[in-house]
Amino acid sequence: MSILSKNESFSKSVILIYVTRIIGFISGLLSVFLVIPNLASKPEIFGIYTVCISLTIFFSYSDLGFIAAGQKYAAEYFAQKKLDKELEVIGFVIFVLIGFLVLVSFGIAVFAIYPEWIIKDVSLESREISKQLLFILCFSAPIIVFQRFNSIVYSVRLNDYIYQSIDILINVVKIMGISWFVNKESYDIVGYYLFVQLLSFFSAFISIIIATKLYQFSLIDFIGKLRFSSEMFIKTKSLAFSSLLLTISWILYFELDSILLSKFYGTKVVAMYAIGFTILSFCRNMYNTLYAPFQARFNHFVGLEDEVSLLDMLQKVIMATLILCIIPPMVLIFYMEAIIQVWVGKLYLSSVLISDLFVLTIAFSAISIPLSYVLIAKLQNKVLRFSALFLPIIFYLSLWVFHVYLGEKSLAFAKVLTVFLGSCITIWGLYKNVVSGIFSLYFEAIKKMLIPLLLLLICFYLFPAPSDLEFRNFQSYIQLSYLIIPSALIPILFYYFILFKTDILLYLRRKNELEIHD
């Protein structure tokens, strides 16, 4: 029996992935509350740091779409138990990645020499810090190569939890290390960034060694497959082109924010936005964590030509997770002012509206994540390419219009509008080409949410945010947690009771019958 047919094995893998990702989520939360406030103590330098680090997007997306395509076909080869073919496609896409990372590294080196090209009104001290940060980033390309390799090899086997566990341990060290570089006596942001990058390299390298032992392939043999393959190029190029367009589109309307703000408004506005960026990144990671195990699973079903199981799983995923794309964002938006006041202080209260809009943005994006996975698995390239071409036009057009009326906040409003329309395109594309009943499915899920949403409004009324919270005060953190957690959990748990009440009542009835029998 194929491993893919063993639902018990899949469930175990998903549970382990979620456990490690939840722990990783908590470590990320600690990072947000312990690292960011220290770095944000000097807004101008923190703004420069944000701009420089934002250039990592060019590393992250320098594979020209081939990594996404390679991951799909690697998952299919794994499902078909063709290890040699799997390594061949991985070797090809990593080869492409390395080639373009070299070019990106050269480009970042140029910015390191002339930081004023991307940072407005840079002072002498800020220029030196910018140069050092960018040179460190320039030589960080091997980390990206190792991380992409680990991501493909582990995720197609639904063993993400292995390398995630290593990352968690390393992240704890990163969090502990902030006090060594940023404290009352010093503010060595360059030293801290170098420390973080070295730890990331070590973590990724250890994960590669473990993969070779677990999955019984030689690293030397893989290096032999690290080359251009005309067969794999022909196989992956169509989806890679769609992924490339999506990548370019995503960069244009989602990842250039810090650079645009720095160029036109200066680093102080970047610092104001940086809080929203941090919340946006945190929420995006949370939703990627939620849906990540299902991407490989969808590809498995396509590889096995099991259409029924694919659509059945999509239906279950939507019904089980849509509530999580609605309730938590609403809670964050309601308590945002209190969160920012306790987290980074009143100095950043101007970030409240921006952060609210970014949370709304990620909520719209999260709703469409599993749907986009299905579109990619089913090679719906027309929908993917239309979305990629349309959304940047909408973003920059709305940015130009909003700028007249909203000034520096125009970017946040433009992002909300763009991502909302992107989600609409994804849902419509799935409806027209894959699942004709997608709207009925969403309508059914929303009907079950009506009472939980009413409970949420009651929680907001019963648990208003207090006005006496103090910056970085432990008691204030606890007080705020007592408000946020019940407000989110009560409606979510009630929704799951409605969704699974038949199973719950059946279980209780059987348990009662067994007790009577005994």
Side-chain angles (χ1 to χ4, degrees):
M1 182 180 291
S2 167
I3 187 173
L4 297 173
S5 64
K6 297 179 180 178
N7 290 327
E8 185 177 332
S9 176
F10 170 70
S11 299
K12 180 181 176 182
S13 295
V14 170
I15 290 171
L16 288 171
I17 290 171
Y18 279 151
V19 168
T20 52
R21 293 213 175 202
I22 288 171
I23 297 173
F25 178 80
I26 294 171
S27 73
L29 192 64
L30 290 173
S31 177
V32 167
F33 282 102
L34 298 178
V35 175
I36 297 300
N38 283 282
L39 297 180
S41 60
K42 293 188 176 182
E44 184 176 357
I45 297 178
F46 180 50
I48 291 169
Y49 173 82
T50 303
V51 173
C52 294
I53 303 312
S54 70
L55 293 178
T56 55
I57 61 171
F58 295 107
F59 274 157
S60 301
Y61 300 130
S62 58
D63 59 276
L64 300 185
F66 280 95
I67 289 290
Q71 187 161 350
K72 168 187 163 50
Y73 289 110
E76 292 186 12
Y77 284 135
F78 168 71
Q80 297 162 6
K81 299 184 179 179
K82 297 178 179 178
L83 177 62
D84 192 62
K85 283 291 186 182
E86 177 194 344
L87 293 179
E88 186 177 343
V89 73
I90 295 174
F92 166 68
V93 298
I94 294 294
F95 174 82
V96 173
L97 173 66
I98 291 172
F100 284 95
L101 281 176
V102 172
L103 298 177
V104 171
S105 296
F106 177 78
I108 292 176
V110 172
F111 285 136
I113 298 171
Y114 304 104
E116 61 273 10
W117 287 4
I118 57 173
I119 301 177
K120 183 181 180 182
D121 301 328
V122 60
S123 65
L124 188 63
E125 180 191 9
S126 300
R127 189 177 192 278
E128 191 60 31
I129 291 173
S130 304
K131 289 178 65 175
Q132 293 173 2
L133 289 172
L134 290 171
F135 272 122
I136 293 171
L137 178 60
C138 176
F139 291 100
S140 299
I143 299 173
I144 303 298
V145 174
F146 292 170
Q147 288 175 340
R148 291 297 179 272
F149 175 84
N150 289 327
S151 176
I152 297 175
V153 170
Y154 285 105
S155 66
V156 301
R157 291 165 171 78
L158 292 171
N159 288 161
D160 309 51
Y161 55 88
I162 295 174
Y163 79 87
Q164 287 166 4
S165 300
I166 298 169
D167 283 346
I168 289 168
L169 295 175
I170 296 299
N171 283 338
V172 171
V173 179
K174 291 178 183 178
I175 294 169
M176 293 171 59
I178 185 63
S179 60
W180 305 336
F181 298 92
V182 180
N183 48 55
K184 292 181 179 179
E185 288 76 31
S186 67
Y187 188 87
D188 186 7
I189 197 168
V190 175
Y192 179 68
Y193 183 56
L194 177 61
F195 171 73
V196 166
Q197 293 299 85
L198 289 173
L199 286 176
S200 296
F201 178 88
F202 176 74
S203 172
F205 183 74
I206 291 297
S207 296
I208 288 177
I209 300 302
I210 292 173
T212 60
K213 302 296 182 184
L214 277 179
Y215 308 130
Q216 300 178 343
F217 66 87
S218 168
L219 194 57
I220 295 176
D221 290 342
F222 173 74
I223 292 174
K225 295 181 182 297
L226 202 61
R227 62 181 187 272
F228 181 82
S229 167
S230 56
E231 177 191 351
M232 293 303 164
F233 175 74
I234 292 170
K235 189 175 186 67
T236 59
K237 66 178 182 179
S238 180
L239 180 56
F241 180 65
S242 298
S243 298
L244 173 61
L245 287 179
L246 287 170
T247 298
I248 295 172
S249 173
W250 182 259
I251 290 173
L252 288 174
Y253 76 82
F254 209 93
E255 297 284 16
L256 294 180
D257 300 343
S258 295
I259 297 172
L260 290 171
L261 291 168
S262 172
K263 188 67 180 175
F264 294 104
Y265 297 108
T267 54
K268 290 185 178 180
V269 174
V270 176
M272 180 179 72
Y273 265 83
I275 303 305
F277 292 150
T278 302
I279 294 172
L280 178 67
S281 176
F282 184 71
C283 293
R284 187 171 68 182
N285 289 337
M286 181 178 69
Y287 286 115
N288 285 338
T289 294
L290 177 65
Y291 291 116
F294 302 103
Q295 182 176 17
R297 190 63 165 166
F298 292 150
N299 289 326
H300 290 165
F301 288 135
V302 171
L304 295 173
E305 299 181 355
D306 189 350
E307 192 80 12
V308 174
S309 296
L310 172 67
L311 298 181
D312 180 63
M313 173 152 286
L314 176 62
Q315 177 180 347
K316 290 177 179 177
V317 168
I318 291 173
M319 292 299 294
T321 63
L322 185 61
I323 187 76
L324 301 178
C325 300
I326 295 176
I327 298 296
M330 291 180 68
V331 172
L332 283 176
I333 289 171
F334 184 78
Y335 291 110
M336 185 61 70
E337 183 174 344
I339 291 170
I340 288 179
Q341 184 174 331
V342 173
W343 174 30
V344 288
K346 294 182 178 179
L347 180 65
Y348 287 92
L349 284 179
S350 57
S351 300
V352 171
L353 177 60
I354 292 168
S355 300
D356 284 342
L357 292 170
F358 280 171
V359 170
L360 195 59
T361 297
I362 207 63
F364 288 137
S365 176
I367 290 171
S368 66
I369 289 176
L371 309 186
S372 64
Y373 288 166
V374 174
L375 288 176
I376 292 171
K378 296 290 289 180
L379 297 176
Q380 294 297 320
N381 289 309
K382 288 184 179 180
V383 179
L384 298 174
R385 292 172 187 176
F386 174 77
S387 177
L389 294 171
F390 177 70
L391 294 182
I393 296 172
I394 291 297
F395 176 70
Y396 286 98
L397 183 62
S398 58
L399 185 61
W400 176 68
V401 173
F402 291 156
H403 172 73
V404 177
Y405 303 99
L406 302 170
E408 60 197 22
K409 291 184 172 63
S410 58
L411 187 141
F413 282 95
K415 192 176 293 292
V416 172
L417 176 62
T418 305
V419 172
F420 171 74
L421 292 177
S423 296
C424 291
I425 292 171
T426 300
I427 295 172
W428 182 257
L430 203 74
Y431 166 75
K432 295 294 289 184
N433 299 285
V434 183
V435 188
S436 59
I438 189 70
F439 290 110
S440 299
L441 182 59
Y442 274 113
F443 181 70
E444 185 65 26
I446 291 170
K447 279 200 306 183
K448 294 182 185 298
M449 276 187 231
L450 294 178
I451 297 179
L453 287 172
L454 179 61
L455 286 175
L456 178 64
L457 296 177
I458 293 173
C459 287
F460 287 163
Y461 177 77
L462 295 176
F463 309 128
S467 57
D468 58 344
L469 297 174
E470 298 178 13
F471 170 50
R472 298 185 70 178
N473 177 275
F474 180 75
Q475 190 62 38
S476 293
Y477 278 130
I478 297 299
Q479 189 177 357
L480 193 55
S481 299
Y482 284 157
L483 299 174
I484 292 174
I485 294 174
S487 296
L489 277 184
I490 291 172
I492 289 173
L493 292 176
F494 192 85
Y495 172 81
Y496 285 128
F497 174 77
I498 295 173
L499 189 61
F500 301 114
K501 65 180 179 180
T502 302
D503 295 331
I504 294 172
L505 293 174
L506 182 61
Y507 168 77
L508 293 175
R509 188 180 299 114
R510 287 178 177 175
K511 183 178 179 182
N512 186 51
E513 289 173 354
L514 287 173
E515 289 176 352
I516 294 173
H517 180 72
D518 290 340

